[in-house]
Amino acid sequence: MHHFQFRHGELYAEELPVREIARRVGTPFYLYSTATLKRHFRIFDRAFGALPHLVCYSVKANSNLAVLRLFAREGSGADIVSGGELYRALKAGIPPEKIVFSGVGKTPREMREALKAGILMFNVESLGELQTLARVARSLGKVAPVAIRINPDVDPKTHPYISTGLQKNKFGLDLETAFKAYLLAREDPHLQVLGIDCHIGSQLTEISPFVEALRRVKAFMKRLAQEDIEIRYLDLGGGLGIVYGDEAPPPPEEYARALVEELKDLKVTLILEPGRVLVGNAGILVTRVLYYKETPAKKFVIVDAGMNDLLRPAFYDAYHEIVPVTSHPDRPEIVADVVGPICETGDFFARDRKLPLVKPGELLAVMSTGAYGFVMSSNYNSRPRPPEVLVSGSEYFVVRRRESYARLVAGEKIPEFLL
Ligand code: LLP
């Protein structure tokens, strides 16, 4: 459930008409709902109430400082994958002792930054990374807390680009290599084995792959216990799917119940790294129709947002519902492509979509774009990135302003020899 609802034919964000915000901030823009973000966090967190657990929101899904601060105030930690995300998480007030660092390509510099900050643990994904981490920790006179990321070879049954727990994916370590990694880590005075980690993919709509992965992790932990390697944190990653169209993902309560059932006799603190399920349906992209055009082959609705603002349809052929912000009940329906202004055939938000016949000047909302929306935006075609706006009740706040042309070229310089 989210707080973007129609009242008398007008789309509202909480207590504010979306049209009113668009009039003030211009289009396109991202719009997030405070009430939805809070609600989603609380439902997710409470679902695991029966177990010692820590929710580490996956910053990559939506890394706006305001969103991070909101989750920090709800008690969330953070799952980060870069020095930049560490910087954001700390700036937003997420306590370092609630931060886990994932990713296959951490640099020594990023490791240093995270060690100095005092994060909870590094989710290590290769033997090379383990050695580098030990060396960096030694140079700082510190001990790095580690978990090894297991690749359990489980099919998450999702889009191939967002599957991560299959043997052929670049993520994690197979069980044999992971075992070696634990033995090595145990011997190194600058590493402390703290946990075990596993994340199998994103936008999962079934529970069974999670349970299967967890069973494999549990079996592996038995092997570790025989070596007296004690695991205090079991990080199960993120990945729970949301409704974009006709999917029927399990609600967080059901997902939690299945995991809690598997974990009840283990003495570990469970870590979860949800991203999409917390923010996906808490955001929309508001765009204005520029033109309507008919060709002998097709109809096109041309809007002022493009694939640089929202990449998911172009990149994954992802489905996002698109609705007029003001509904007019008696309009004829058309079947059209909703496309952006960018010079790429892949620049579409929908293809052959049934829509009411919309008019130039009208506003459309691209729904469920709170996750992997703004964070994947770019300046392609030299388009300034759109603002992000947060609604709270009947107030709205621009939490990232629209980029200016000056900002577009801010880091660039014409070298002297060309002057
Ligand atoms: N933990 C790790 C280690 C991850 O790699 C991810 C996502 C998450 C947690 C959070 O997963 P979530 O709960 O959001 O499913 N850009 C793609 C999704 C990429 C997901 C990458 N990793 C999309 O737009 O669908």
Side-chain angles (χ1 to χ4, degrees):
M1 191 245 151
H2 56 73
H3 297 77
F4 299 101
Q5 304 293 339
F6 280 91
R7 291 188 200 168
H8 313 295
E10 269 299 314
L11 184 63
Y12 273 68
E14 301 192 17
E15 302 304 319
L16 277 180
V18 170
R19 193 162 43 106
E20 195 47 39
I21 306 171
R23 197 174 61 77
R24 307 253 197 95
V25 305
T27 54
F29 67 100
Y30 277 95
L31 182 57
Y32 310 133
S33 155
T34 303
T36 311
L37 292 167
K38 272 191 195 159
R39 181 187 151 84
H40 286 178
F41 184 87
R42 289 178 186 174
I43 288 177
F44 192 92
D45 190 43
R46 281 176 199 162
F48 289 93
L51 282 183
H53 72 282
L54 175 63
V55 176
C56 291
Y57 166 63
S58 192
V59 172
K60 66 173 83 66
N62 184 326
S63 50
N64 186 285
L65 288 180
V67 172
L68 298 181
R69 170 62 65 99
L70 188 153
F71 287 141
R73 285 175 57 164
E74 293 294 316
S76 186
D79 157 48
I80 60 162
V81 290
S82 69
E85 286 191 352
L86 174 66
Y87 179 78
R88 282 180 177 277
L90 295 175
K91 212 172 167 63
I94 295 182
E97 65 275 12
K98 289 186 181 174
I99 296 178
V100 296
F101 196 164
S102 310
V104 294
K106 304 175 192 79
T107 64
R109 175 187 163 168
E110 289 173 320
M111 291 173 178
R112 260 193 304 278
E113 289 164 355
L115 278 168
K116 283 189 185 155
I119 66 163
L120 176 60
M121 67 184 191
F122 292 84
N123 290 336
V124 172
E125 307 213 21
S126 65
L127 294 176
E129 183 191 336
L130 194 70
Q131 279 167 358
T132 302
L133 182 59
R135 183 165 47 83
V136 173
R138 178 161 19 97
S139 73
L140 292 176
K142 289 191 181 285
V143 176
V146 298
I148 305 296
R149 177 165 173 183
I150 306 293
N151 181 325
D153 197 23
V154 166
D155 185 357
K157 300 181 198 147
T158 181
H159 191 290
Y161 283 16
I162 49 178
S163 292
T164 52
L166 284 168
Q167 200 96 79
K168 65 178 180 198
N169 301 136
K170 71 175 174 180
F171 299 96
L173 285 173
D174 63 280
L175 296 179
E176 284 324 302
T177 316
F179 192 66
K180 263 190 226 147
Y182 275 105
L183 297 180
L184 286 170
R186 182 176 62 180
E187 299 313 318
D188 195 306
H190 292 284
L191 299 174
Q192 181 204 4
V193 173
L194 199 63
I196 189 162
D197 170 49
C198 159
H199 166 85
I200 55 174
S202 195
Q203 184 54 14
L204 271 70
T205 52
E206 285 174 41
I207 291 182
S208 54
F210 289 115
V211 171
E212 187 51 38
L214 177 52
R215 289 193 180 146
R216 293 186 192 188
V217 170
K218 272 168 59 184
F220 185 73
M221 281 169 64
K222 282 205 180 120
R223 260 182 90 185
L224 294 178
Q226 283 161 9
E227 295 290 330
D228 286 327
I229 295 175
E230 192 209 344
I231 297 296
R232 279 169 46 201
Y233 291 94
L234 197 173
D235 183 343
L236 266 183
L240 186 58
I242 64 167
V243 178
Y244 286 104
D246 54 12
E247 308 85 342
E253 294 87 345
E254 212 176 293
Y255 162 77
R257 215 176 301 129
L259 300 184
V260 169
E261 180 60 31
E262 287 292 321
L263 286 167
K264 55 178 192 261
D265 31 83
L266 288 187
K267 280 197 205 64
V268 290
T269 296
L270 178 63
I271 294 179
L272 298 141
E273 303 172 353
R276 189 189 318 264
V277 71
L278 299 187
V279 294
N281 286 318
I284 64 176
L285 173 66
V286 182
T287 180
R288 198 177 287 279
V289 177
L290 293 172
Y291 306 106
Y292 172 68
K293 123 169 169 182
E294 290 189 7
T295 71
K298 270 196 177 262
K299 298 179 170 66
F300 294 98
V301 174
I302 302 166
V303 298
D304 68 356
M307 65 188 279
N308 72 298
D309 302 303
L310 173 68
L311 186 60
R312 300 193 75 255
F315 203 39
Y316 312 109
D317 207 13
Y319 174 90
H320 286 270
E321 192 187 351
I322 300 177
V323 295
V325 163
T326 308
S327 54
H328 305 275
D330 301 322
R331 285 200 295 199
E333 244 184 16
I334 52 168
V335 175
D337 286 13
V338 179
V339 300
I342 288 189
C343 308
E344 297 268 354
T345 303
D347 180 28
F348 61 85
F349 292 139
R351 284 187 296 191
D352 298 320
R353 182 74 62 87
K354 260 195 207 153
L355 283 175
L357 179 58
V358 289
K359 294 207 185 75
E362 201 173 326
L363 295 171
L364 299 180
V366 186
M367 305 303 287
S368 309
T369 48
Y372 308 110
F374 182 86
V375 287
M376 291 175 76
S377 66
S378 76
N379 289 126
Y380 187 37
N381 277 204
S382 284
R383 288 167 51 82
R385 277 178 293 180
E388 294 174 281
V389 179
L390 180 67
V391 165
S392 177
S394 52
E395 289 184 291
Y396 75 88
F397 305 87
V398 176
V399 292
R400 188 185 211 275
R401 61 171 182 264
R402 189 182 304 283
E403 282 178 353
S404 62
Y405 291 148
R407 184 62 215 283
L408 275 184
V409 296
E412 296 175 31
K413 194 174 170 194
I414 298 172
E416 215 133 283
F417 83 96
L418 288 175
L419 290 176

